[in-house]
Amino acid sequence: MDFKFFDLALTKIIYVERRGYIMRLPGFYKLSVQDRLKKVAEFANLSEEEVKALISSAGLPIEVADRMIENVIGTFELPLGIATNFLIDGKEYLIPMVIEEPSVVAAASNAARMAREGGGFTTDFTAPVMIGQIQVVDVRNPESARFEILRNKSEIIEKANECDPMLLKLGGGCRDLEVRIIDSIFGKMLVVHLLVDVRDAMGANAVNTMCEKVAPIVGRISGGKPLLRIVSNLSVYRIARAKALFKKEAIGGEEVVDGVMKAYAFAEADPFRCATHNKGIMNGISALMIATGNDFRAVEAGAHGYAAIRGYKPLTKYEINENGDLVGTIEVPISAGIIGGATQVNPLAKICLKILGVKSSGELARVAAALGLAQNFAALRALATEGIQRGHMELHARNVAIMAGARGSEIDRIAELMVKDGKIRIDYAKELLSKLRGE
Ligand code: MEV
């Protein structure tokens, strides 16, 4: 067993066991960037080169960036943080998050710490099945066309599967087909859905190729004209679920349970609040998607589309169990991969995937769901109690203290005084610093 102890002055003992039984990193946030990276490197077995790529701010070489998109003139950086304390289905995770907003990583880690006391997160995943849409217009008899397409579906599926022998070899491929008739401003239209198991890829390319390939057959059988042939981001067959028990003692008592329930009820009843509620969930999920080189817009679109499927609703739900504890659940489509796209082209995404240690796109989706739930619980708990500004202001104050020249333990001390006095300004930080140093 790969078990390591780190004795630190700041904390008592930090236990790290690679994907093992216990791995809390209390005080992780108080370490220097270098020391944090050291811990993560040990946990994930990062090579010296990988460590250098993370810290050198040259992780994405310009030649690689130039091949990723068009008209490249540089690269653009964002902070990469690590969410700690995540115990998901009995496995320990350090979750890489790329995000510009303060407090998000801390909030996720904090919620995950509370969830641990209820056993951590349990998760579930349907299958990595994406939907490819073929729009068929000018269909004279849509019902008959639908009948004929369904009757001939094996021919269409067979043709689709000629596109990607590698995917078939890996156990994926076009699995099934469905036909819908929709009402549009141009009257009835036929929409054929290819249901494609894309295994560990995000899958948009594979699906789009199949749609283009089979569209002429669909046209011939339906007697209509195939028009759009494109993946749907509303991936209802690629759903991740997570559940966590937040024991009332672990989260601040009955009042907090009640506050979170009422905050959830607000989102359930009001789309204006619900948009922000779901945004908070995506703070976590998108940060993980960016870190792993995934198309986070696709996941965002899927999540909000899913939330709106029966009137815009929260992606999370909360209940109180027989002991008065809070049980949170989330259900969200996650169309994200661990191969293909930028996941393997961007060296930083590769390193993040290594830190995360997921072995399949399904595992990535399950972690994303747990992270989304943690993020949402943290936000509701903060909003229903002290509000979120204090945490934000503390972080802001730390930055101001650093800008004023504070170092080491001076940073927290100066930040604390500025927050207490309600004066978070560089000139005040400098004044406090001189006093502290006895100048
Ligand atoms: C801020 O980025 C996210 C929150 O507004 C989410 C929420 O209100 O639930 C705090």
Side-chain angles (χ1 to χ4, degrees):
M1 199 187 289
D2 182 13
F3 195 78
K4 296 182 181 112
F5 287 82
F6 299 101
D7 202 343
L8 284 176
L10 278 170
T11 61
K12 286 176 216 105
I13 290 177
I14 292 185
Y15 301 91
V16 175
E17 185 189 355
R18 173 87 205 182
R19 317 297 173 208
Y21 172 57
I22 258 186
M23 197 214 60
R24 285 233 29 242
L25 297 177
F28 185 71
Y29 71 100
K30 290 187 187 165
L31 303 180
S32 67
V33 172
Q34 280 78 5
D35 285 344
R36 279 188 218 122
L37 182 53
K38 201 167 150 228
K39 300 275 163 263
V40 173
E42 272 159 340
F43 173 77
N45 276 328
L46 299 186
S47 68
E48 243 174 73
E49 220 170 84
E50 288 168 331
V51 168
K52 234 187 261 161
L54 287 174
I55 204 135
S56 70
S57 71
L60 176 58
I62 195 70
E63 315 79 67
V64 178
D66 193 29
R67 286 195 301 270
M68 285 172 75
I69 62 163
E70 307 74 38
N71 300 353
V72 166
I73 59 157
T75 55
F76 183 102
E77 292 184 56
L78 283 170
L80 162 63
I82 295 288
T84 56
N85 302 328
F86 275 84
L87 179 64
I88 305 173
D89 300 316
K91 179 171 163 180
E92 299 285 355
Y93 291 89
L94 292 181
I95 306 185
M97 298 174 73
V98 170
I99 188 160
E100 86 299 340
E101 186 178 333
S103 301
V104 172
V105 177
S109 306
N110 203 19
R113 182 179 52 74
M114 294 179 202
R116 280 182 96 90
E117 300 193 24
F121 297 86
T122 34
T123 66
D124 184 28
F125 180 64
T126 52
V129 171
M130 297 291 282
I131 298 171
Q133 295 194 293
I134 303 162
Q135 175 197 22
V136 193
V137 297
D138 302 336
V139 182
R140 178 180 288 275
N141 300 115
E143 293 296 346
S144 310
R146 178 171 182 274
F147 176 88
E148 288 304 327
I149 291 171
L150 288 174
R151 195 171 68 85
N152 289 283
K153 79 174 178 186
S154 40
E155 183 197 347
I156 298 170
I157 292 171
E158 223 166 88
K159 194 76 186 167
N161 280 331
E162 282 172 14
C163 293
D164 200 335
M166 191 57 183
L167 183 60
L168 247 56
K169 227 168 129 185
L170 293 169
C174 183
R175 293 250 183 279
D176 205 352
L177 173 157
E178 52 191 26
V179 188
R180 297 164 55 226
I181 299 169
I182 59 168
D183 277 317
S184 79
I185 53 171
F186 289 104
K188 292 208 187 300
M189 276 178 196
L190 213 65
V191 183
V192 177
H193 284 182
L194 297 186
L195 310 188
V196 185
D197 184 329
V198 296
R199 303 276 87 193
D200 287 328
M202 185 275 184
N205 273 331
V207 169
N208 292 343
T209 307
M210 287 183 186
C211 288
E212 291 188 8
K213 178 95 167 185
V214 304
I217 310 178
V218 170
R220 171 174 49 78
I221 297 173
S222 65
K225 182 172 168 244
L227 205 57
L228 269 57
R229 294 141 296 163
I230 187 77
V231 71
S232 166
N233 287 125
L234 182 50
S235 36
V236 295
Y237 300 117
R238 199 174 188 175
I239 299 290
R241 298 187 185 94
K243 184 172 93 165
L245 168 69
F246 297 100
K247 292 196 168 175
K248 58 176 183 290
E249 310 82 50
I251 65 174
E254 266 167 35
E255 219 174 297
V256 177
V257 171
D258 186 55
V260 173
M261 283 305 292
K262 290 197 172 120
Y264 159 59
F266 183 11
E268 172 70 31
D270 176 26
F272 288 90
R273 170 57 206 154
C274 190
T276 323
H277 177 107
N278 287 339
K279 186 271 183 185
I281 294 170
M282 299 316 288
N283 271 348
I285 295 178
S286 291
L288 172 60
M289 292 304 123
I290 298 173
T292 53
N294 273 289
D295 179 348
F296 60 96
R297 286 91 52 218
V299 179
E300 287 271 353
H304 290 287
Y306 196 64
I309 221 160
R310 284 178 207 90
Y312 191 64
K313 291 289 172 194
L315 292 162
T316 51
K317 294 192 179 354
Y318 291 90
E319 291 168 332
I320 301 178
N321 73 7
E322 62 284 4
N323 301 321
D325 300 325
L326 195 66
V327 183
T329 50
I330 185 170
E331 186 171 300
V332 58
I334 303 283
S335 45
I338 59 165
I339 57 166
T343 60
Q344 298 298 319
V345 173
N346 185 339
L348 293 175
K350 265 175 91 167
I351 299 171
C352 286
L353 278 166
K354 188 167 170 184
I355 294 170
L356 191 62
V358 294
K359 300 281 179 289
S360 65
S361 66
E363 190 179 353
L364 173 62
R366 291 190 291 102
V367 172
L371 179 59
L373 176 58
Q375 209 72 66
N376 177 244
F377 168 74
L380 299 192
R381 179 175 177 272
L383 289 165
T385 54
E386 61 178 9
I388 59 161
Q389 277 317 92
R390 197 179 65 84
H392 272 280
M393 289 328 273
E394 271 170 14
L395 220 105
H396 177 56
R398 281 170 59 83
N399 286 332
V400 172
I402 292 167
M403 281 191 285
R407 295 289 171 266
S409 61
E410 293 171 343
I411 301 171
D412 280 342
R413 184 78 195 112
I414 300 292
E416 219 172 84
L417 289 170
M418 283 193 292
V419 171
K420 187 165 124 296
D421 297 346
K423 288 196 262 182
I424 303 171
R425 301 191 317 257
I426 288 214
D427 60 320
Y428 190 54
K430 283 187 177 156
E431 190 187 315
L432 290 172
L433 194 59
S434 313
K435 268 195 213 150
L436 192 73
R437 289 176 177 171
E439 288 162 2

